[in-house]
Amino acid sequence: MSELNTAEKQLQSWHAWLGGNRGDRARLRRAESPEDILLTDAFFHFLEKMDQADPGWSQQTPMLASACIAGALSHVKTDKQTPSWIHNGKDKTDAAKKIASFAEQLATPPEGKNKAPMSELRFQQLQKSPTIDDFYRRIIRAIRLLDGNVNVVSLANDIIHWHQEFNQPFGRHPAKRLAVRWATDYFTALPKNKD
């Protein structure tokens, strides 16, 4: 497992804390958009916890990205930390170093099944979300397709990355774009059609 920085550890800690605070979880889950989340006390509890771990969190992370993370994590049941077979190989005896990303999880069939949790069409719609509200709605749908078992740190990092690209023009390096990274992980992990 790669080492987590302080903010990533705090995200996992906050998600675990949220499990015992049903009121905050319910208020976040009822919100239909990141704008709605901004108006909840649960969101300010999230910001307070994140600022304790990383004093620059509120200044460095766009407010709607933070709201999207808090709302999305309220729908996550389990912080699923499984080794990535894309980056570590299929050898189960190999000491795994990387954890499966959110995009890899969307393409990896659950045990005993041979179909990806998210179809290619829905995955492409998620990548091309035209608004923040659409992106949020599709992220929540993706979490539900994974039955709430998601890599919390990967999800949060991808939400921040998506908001950065949404608010600013793309950089010169296509490989650094979220859509390209997601597509690489998703299509590498996607079961191949044997036709």
Side-chain angles (χ1 to χ4, degrees):
M1 175 192 258
S2 62
E3 288 206 19
L4 301 176
N5 68 33
T6 307
E8 291 172 341
K9 286 179 186 171
Q10 187 61 25
L11 271 172
Q12 291 177 321
S13 171
W14 183 80
H15 176 257
W17 173 85
L18 192 61
N21 290 280
R22 293 178 181 216
D24 278 5
R25 178 182 285 260
R27 282 187 286 282
L28 290 169
R29 289 178 69 122
R30 278 194 300 265
E32 294 181 10
S33 70
E35 290 279 348
D36 292 345
I37 292 168
L38 294 178
L39 306 177
T40 65
D41 58 343
F43 175 63
F44 290 96
H45 295 159
F46 172 77
L47 285 182
E48 188 178 84
K49 298 266 184 190
M50 293 309 296
D51 278 337
Q52 286 173 0
D54 181 0
W57 175 274
S58 293
Q59 281 75 40
Q60 296 167 1
T61 310
M63 189 75 87
L64 288 175
S66 290
C68 189
I69 292 168
L73 294 190
S74 73
H75 291 268
V76 174
K77 294 177 190 169
T78 306
D79 182 14
K80 188 174 182 182
Q81 300 288 310
T82 54
S84 167
W85 72 263
I86 294 174
H87 298 287
N88 301 319
K90 290 184 178 179
D91 183 5
K92 302 267 184 198
T93 60
D94 189 14
K97 296 194 184 327
K98 283 197 87 170
I99 301 298
S101 69
F102 177 61
E104 183 178 346
Q105 290 175 333
L106 290 173
T108 304
E111 202 167 307
K113 298 189 176 181
N114 59 4
K115 189 175 173 188
M118 178 174 264
S119 70
E120 288 181 51
L121 178 63
R122 283 194 171 175
F123 179 71
Q124 289 168 355
Q125 289 172 339
L126 173 63
Q127 287 181 303
K128 295 179 179 178
S129 300
T131 66
I132 290 172
D133 287 352
D134 282 337
F135 176 73
Y136 181 71
R137 196 176 61 252
R138 290 173 176 159
I139 282 288
I140 299 304
R141 182 183 306 142
I143 293 168
R144 288 182 181 142
L145 290 171
L146 292 169
D147 199 27
N149 301 310
V150 175
N151 179 339
V152 165
V153 170
S154 175
L155 174 64
N157 284 330
D158 289 351
I159 289 171
I160 291 169
H161 197 157
W162 186 89
H163 278 80
Q164 288 170 342
E165 289 185 355
F166 183 78
N167 292 324
Q168 298 171 353
F170 294 125
R172 294 180 138 213
H173 304 287
K176 292 183 178 178
R177 292 183 193 155
L178 179 63
V180 174
R181 188 165 48 78
W182 269 2
T184 302
D185 285 358
Y186 179 87
F187 289 112
T188 303
L190 191 67
K192 305 300 177 243
N193 202 351
K194 295 180 180 175
D195 293 338

